[in-house]
Each structure stands twice: as C-alpha cells, then as structure tokens.
Amino acid sequence: MFEEAGEAAAVVRRQLAANQIAVTALAAQLRAEPPRGALTCARGSSDHAATFGKYLIETRLGVLTTSAAPSISSVYGASADLTGMLAIGISQSGKSPDILSAMRAAKQGGARTLALGNTADSPLAEEADTFLPLHAGAELSVAATKSYIASLAALLHLVGEWAGDGEMLEALHNAPALLGQAWAADWSPMVERLANAQGLYVIGRGLGFGIAQEAALKFKETCGLHAEAFSAAEVRHGPMALVGPDFPLLVFRQGDETADGVDELVAEVVARGGDVLVSGGNVPGAIQLPHPAAHPAIEPMLQIQAFYRAANALSLRRGFDPDRPPLLAKVTETV
Ligand SMILES: N[C@@H]1[C@@H](O)[C@H](O)[C@@H](COP(=O)(O)O)O[C@@H]1O
C-alpha cells in the first residue's frame, strides 16, 4: 500500500500525457452531442471516485449524474430507458459480473458507454463504446490507492476538457508535483489520535464527499477501525448524537462554496468538546492536517494522497498488515 500510494504522482503524470488525444476527442464528441444525464456503475473505491465524478459533472456541466444500483439489472433483471444517457463504468479489474451487467443493461437501454479501468483486456474495456485507461500500473495491495487517485485524475481530465475549464485543467497538469508534496505531508497527529480509537465519522461536502467515503473504507479495510462517511450537512440530521471526546471526526474541507458550512460544523463540534482532525481550513481548537494549496477541484486528490500515507502508518500502529486485510481479496466479484 505504501509503495503503490507513493507512485500516484508518476501515475497521474503518465496518464495525463497518454490520454490527452483520447480525452480531447471524447470531450468534443460529448460537446457535440451532450448526454441528457450520466449514470455511474462502480463498487468500493471506484464507486467513491464516481461520487467525486457526480459532483464534478453536475457542478461543471449541469448534467444530472446518478449512481446505478447494479442489482436492478444483475439480480432483478429490470431495465430502464437510458436513451441519450452516458453510462460511466469505473473498475480496476473490469470484470465484476454486476458492473458488467449494469453496463450491458445501460447499452441495451440506449446509453453511450464509457469505461475507466486499469486493465485493457477486460470485458468492461472491450464492451464499452470508449475505454479510457487509468495507467495506474499493476496494483497488488488489496487496498486501492494509486488506482483511486488515477480515477479522480481521469474524471478531472475528461470533465475539464468537456467543460472547457482551462483553469481546472491547468491545475490538474500541476497536480503531479503537488501530489509529491502531499505525500510528504505530516499527518502523524491523525495516527496518534486514532491509534486506540473505537470509531469515527469522516466528513466531506460536495467534491470532498467522495474522498470522505474512500477514507472511511480504508479505516475499516486496513486499520480495523469502524468509520462512516457523512456530508457535513447530513451528519447534523441525527448522527451528531454520537460525536464527543471519544468519537472524533476527520474532516476533509476544500476551499470552495462548501468551505464556510464545513468550518461551522468544525467550530460547533470543537465548542462541544469533540475532537476534530481537519484537512484544510483553520478553525481554532481543531487538529490541523496539512496539504499543499491548490484549485478546490484538485484539493481532494491531494488530501487523499496525504491520508493514504497516514492510513498505512495507522494500520501498522494498530497491529494490522495494510497489504493483507483480513477476509479480503484484491478482486471482488459480486453478482
Ligand atoms: N453506488 C451504488 C449504491 O448507491 C447502491 O446502494 C449500491 C447497491 O447496489 P446493489 O443493489 O447492487 O447491491 O450500489 C452501488 O454501490
């Protein structure tokens, strides 16, 4: 996990260069024939990348984006009219039966299909109208790291070109250098605070929500630590009842329109005597976790990169092997 997460900067640099022509062509096609909506099909870390994609596509392009529940096609055998939709499948292996089923149903229902994957000779890649390779290289650790960051980069690249957002694209092209800095960031306060923790919430809002989901998964998978992800708004609708000195929050805050609301939540929890670890912002009383400054759409990628290093350290500290989580295999195939 440590070694592979550390390769993320090189992966993103390689991917941006290798995919430029294909991404430009796809973006031109999407601008010429805009989809009426997008449907994401993914599981686990890839599904969390899809959450990031939803916020990116809806905020930058105003195209409604929703997540497919694969069982609708794989178990219920039901289908929907997806004429004019873009179905985006994200999968490292490209062969989980339920994701394949959802993508096949989308195609039969009239959608254009796009696969983001790490394996070109997979059914997902072969059956999709367009395949964008992630170029993450072999990922052997059960916990996805560089492939997750590669998925975020591919989504940023596509949406940046599709929306013609030059500022975001420029920031993305600077991301490899910043990922290197993020990898060196000192998140040891997180490792200290969570060494003996029983559970926590991971908070994000908007573009940061997908990385909150991803961090919560890593806590469970590699650290034997129960963690649940909530949006900074959702957590106030009930879950806050658990928050206190023995139930900390890890908060991912990016410098966009969501920042003030996230700061308010952090200040409120600090005032109640709760422990809050925060990446981004500067609320007094919260434990700050650093990451390099960047465009708000790039920040989540940098935050999760800094987090991965700390999650690896926390896993070891809690007596786990981050590369061999109990009861899990690298490729999970569900129906
Ligand atoms: N992102 C979706 C979730 O929103 C959905 O809840 C889940 C359930 O899928 P299924 O019904 O196939 O178990 O699938 C994906 O992970």
Side-chain angles (χ1 to χ4, degrees):
M1 178 181 177
F2 182 85
E3 218 172 280
E4 291 175 351
E7 291 167 19
V11 166
V12 172
R13 188 173 288 117
R14 177 164 72 221
Q15 183 202 94
L16 293 177
N19 284 358
Q20 186 57 47
I21 293 172
V23 169
T24 311
L26 178 58
Q29 203 185 91
L30 290 165
R31 274 200 304 270
E33 263 183 275
R36 70 179 168 98
L39 181 74
T40 61
C41 306
R43 292 281 191 201
S45 293
S46 297
D47 198 28
H48 305 149
T51 302
F52 176 79
K54 169 192 170 64
Y55 283 98
L56 200 62
I57 295 170
E58 293 194 359
T59 58
R60 269 56 191 180
L61 291 150
V63 173
L64 178 68
T65 302
T66 188
S67 170
S71 67
I72 300 296
S73 54
S74 68
V75 180
Y76 291 103
S79 56
D81 176 5
L82 297 175
T83 317
M85 298 280 288
L86 173 69
I88 307 173
I90 310 177
S91 168
Q92 306 321 314
S93 70
K95 56 183 194 184
S96 186
D98 45 5
I99 298 302
L100 288 174
S101 165
M103 288 293 280
R104 284 172 188 152
K107 200 169 199 170
Q108 274 161 17
R112 261 177 287 177
T113 54
L114 164 67
L116 303 185
N118 212 17
T119 322
D121 59 346
S122 65
L124 184 78
E126 283 160 9
E127 292 175 24
D129 296 327
T130 311
F131 171 59
L132 274 187
L134 294 175
H135 294 287
E139 189 172 62
L140 303 176
S141 175
V142 169
T145 52
K146 60 177 178 171
S147 65
Y148 176 75
I149 291 178
S151 303
L152 300 185
L155 289 163
L156 283 159
H157 198 184
L158 176 62
V159 174
E161 293 287 355
W162 179 2
D165 187 336
E167 211 180 296
M168 192 169 85
L169 285 170
E170 192 189 330
L172 176 63
H173 286 281
N174 292 331
L178 296 174
L179 281 165
Q181 290 173 31
W183 185 241
D186 178 13
W187 279 37
S188 55
M190 182 188 102
V191 181
E192 292 308 317
R193 177 61 188 85
L194 301 180
N196 300 305
Q198 303 289 317
L200 77 154
Y201 291 151
V202 189
I203 306 292
R205 188 103 198 255
L207 290 170
F209 184 49
I211 60 163
Q213 292 179 315
E214 169 62 3
L217 174 63
K218 288 292 177 286
F219 280 131
K220 289 179 282 233
E221 198 179 20
T222 65
C223 303
L225 175 58
H226 183 68
E228 241 186 307
F230 285 107
S231 101
E234 190 67 34
V235 73
R236 294 177 190 267
H237 291 260
M240 275 284 265
L242 294 187
V243 174
D246 296 327
F247 197 93
L249 294 186
L250 168 62
V251 178
F252 291 104
R253 179 245 200 225
Q254 69 281 356
D256 65 9
E257 294 85 339
T258 63
D260 290 347
V262 172
D263 285 345
E264 269 168 40
L265 174 77
V266 172
E268 183 187 324
V269 174
V270 167
R272 288 217 235 146
D275 265 0
V276 193
L277 296 146
V278 190
S279 168
N282 193 18
V283 175
I287 303 167
Q288 293 300 322
L289 302 170
H291 67 269
H295 185 289
I298 308 300
E299 268 187 285
M301 188 196 272
L302 306 179
Q303 291 168 308
I304 202 71
Q305 173 70 338
F307 168 84
Y308 282 150
R309 186 177 192 139
N312 182 80
L314 182 64
S315 170
L316 295 168
R317 178 76 170 268
R318 290 171 66 93
F320 289 86
D321 176 347
D323 294 320
R324 282 170 206 81
L327 310 174
L328 298 175
K330 177 64 184 163
V331 178
T332 307
E333 294 191 11
T334 43
V335 178

